[in-house]
Amino acid sequence: VFVPIMAKGYKESELRQKLVEVLQDSKTGLSGVEISEKLGINRMTMTKYLNVFAAEGLVQQKNVGNVNLWFVEEGTEQFSFPEDYFRVKTKYLEALMSVSSHHVVNLIRNCIHSGAATPKIMTEIIVPAIDSIEDLYQQGKIGKSEQKFLNWLISQSIQITNVIHAEEKPQKNVILISADTKNMLYSEAAAVSFRFNEWKVFNLGDMSDAIDVLFDLDLQKLLGKVWKQKNSIMIIIVFSSSEDGFKFFSEAINVIKEKSGKRLHLVLCSKLKKKTTAKADLVAEKLEDVLQWSQTAYESFVKS
């Protein structure tokens, strides 16, 4: 990751925008020298950034004769955030319903290149899409095969955030558990959101096959390996579509909580219509509420 020191005082997000504008105006592509001259940026610095942007998928390089030319990826467009979150949410769902894999992934890539906050991409665009696909399936408007494919497309667009570096604090730890396959995408979106809020993330995915009497011992072994720093907090978040899922995991985790003291917290996240009776530090419906509560819990721990 390069520290953005730019000629003309460009920030990295501004450089992305300028680069897209310059390359979109050129149908034949531009060399690194031509781009440097047009943007007034040192050639060596520009080369470094072109390589970074190529790794992110913003631009691509082609050899034409003896010259290396740079092109902007087809379908690249600039958005303005926070104003465009609602517009992109609508475009993203439209792209999903047209089952256009390239369009779906490109939209999220364009959000990243336009400087959108990655956790906001998850809460404002991805999670509403997951909800919408589930609603369409429940209403009988799409079949199981289409639902599975659209969820796979959503997962693909979540994964492209992996190319972006995110700092993590060893004091901030979170384990994500999906009690069933239905909630796997929510835990994926949560994993990305926490990662970009400096949390060390351990996403266990679908743990429905781990429902047995030995689960608390099994989880305790994992905690012993991944959570060794005493001056740190651990939050375990369970996503479930059923009361049974919540009851099983909360009972097992609360046994561990009693031994771990105030450093370990349990959060239950679901869209269950009926409020769960399972015991937890927080029961929430929205991912943004879970993120906010977790940050507050961390800040309280640091002060104590």
Side-chain angles (χ1 to χ4, degrees):
V1 177
F2 298 99
V3 178
I5 301 171
M6 300 288 166
K8 291 191 175 181
Y10 291 144
K11 291 179 182 175
E12 189 172 332
S13 58
E14 291 171 333
L15 181 59
R16 278 192 178 94
Q17 188 171 347
K18 296 280 183 189
L19 183 59
V20 168
E21 288 169 1
V22 163
L23 290 178
Q24 281 181 332
D25 286 342
S26 171
K27 292 178 182 176
T28 56
L30 295 172
S31 69
V33 175
E34 289 172 317
I35 295 169
S36 298
E37 287 173 355
K38 283 182 179 289
L39 297 181
I41 292 172
N42 173 280
R43 185 181 166 189
M44 291 293 289
T45 305
M46 193 67 244
T47 300
K48 286 180 180 179
Y49 275 93
L50 283 168
N51 289 330
V52 170
F53 296 153
E56 292 177 359
L58 176 65
V59 295
Q60 55 181 316
Q61 191 180 29
K62 291 179 184 174
N63 296 326
V64 181
N66 296 323
V67 184
N68 290 328
L69 296 179
W70 292 93
F71 297 82
V72 75
E73 285 282 354
E74 188 182 345
T76 298
E77 60 180 309
Q78 285 293 124
F79 297 115
S80 178
F81 293 106
E83 297 89 347
D84 279 345
Y85 281 117
F86 183 77
R87 185 163 76 92
V88 176
K89 179 173 83 168
T90 306
K91 284 172 73 87
Y92 184 72
L93 190 58
E94 287 170 357
L96 279 170
M97 297 316 296
S98 69
V99 294
S100 169
S101 176
H102 178 73
H103 193 189
V104 167
V105 172
N106 234 31
L107 261 175
I108 299 304
R109 189 178 283 129
N110 288 338
C111 290
I112 294 166
H113 297 152
S114 300
T118 308
K120 280 280 187 185
I121 294 174
M122 297 299 120
T123 58
E124 302 291 328
I125 300 166
I126 298 291
V127 169
I130 299 169
D131 293 341
S132 295
I133 298 305
E134 177 62 23
D135 288 344
L136 288 169
Y137 173 70
Q138 293 298 335
Q139 292 163 19
K141 292 180 180 177
I142 60 173
K144 177 57 79 175
S145 299
E146 189 174 354
Q147 183 201 29
K148 290 269 188 187
F149 178 68
L150 295 177
N151 282 343
W152 179 78
L153 284 183
I154 293 172
S155 182
Q156 292 295 103
S157 50
I158 292 173
Q159 298 314 315
I160 66 167
T161 61
N162 289 334
V163 300
I164 313 166
H165 174 73
E167 297 291 338
E168 62 180 38
K169 289 184 177 177
Q171 298 87 1
K172 301 171 80 173
N173 300 276
V174 62
I175 287 176
L176 301 165
I177 292 172
S178 178
D180 46 62
T181 53
K182 264 188 176 183
N183 282 274
M184 282 179 64
L185 279 179
Y186 290 114
S187 63
E188 280 184 37
V192 172
S193 301
F194 273 98
R195 190 166 75 86
F196 283 89
N197 279 318
E198 299 182 316
W199 290 80
K200 198 170 181 181
V201 177
F202 306 93
N203 186 13
L204 308 190
D206 177 16
M207 290 292 285
S208 57
D209 60 351
I211 295 180
D212 61 47
V213 291
L214 298 175
F215 173 72
D216 58 323
L217 297 173
D218 181 63
L219 184 61
Q220 228 164 337
K221 279 184 184 176
L222 176 67
L223 281 167
K225 288 185 177 180
V226 302
W227 189 37
K228 293 178 179 177
Q229 189 167 329
K230 288 186 178 179
N231 186 29
S232 65
I233 188 174
M234 172 65 81
I235 296 177
I236 301 177
I237 301 169
V238 179
F239 296 87
S240 179
S241 299
S242 70
E243 177 69 2
D244 288 345
F246 274 150
K247 278 191 172 174
F248 170 78
F249 285 104
S250 65
E251 283 172 13
I253 294 162
N254 280 319
V255 169
I256 302 169
K257 260 192 76 179
E258 286 172 17
K259 301 171 186 175
S260 303
K262 294 180 179 178
R263 296 192 301 133
L264 180 63
H265 298 277
L266 171 62
V267 172
L268 305 178
C269 188
S270 173
K271 290 182 168 55
L272 281 174
K273 289 182 173 68
K274 189 179 175 184
K275 194 171 180 181
T276 180
T277 57
K279 186 184 169 189
D281 296 297
L282 174 72
V283 177
E285 186 178 314
K286 294 181 178 178
L287 176 56
E288 45 265 65
D289 292 340
V290 175
L291 292 165
Q292 192 175 351
W293 183 90
S294 301
Q295 183 60 28
T296 304
Y298 166 70
E299 289 166 5
S300 299
F301 172 75
V302 170
K303 288 175 187 173
S304 63

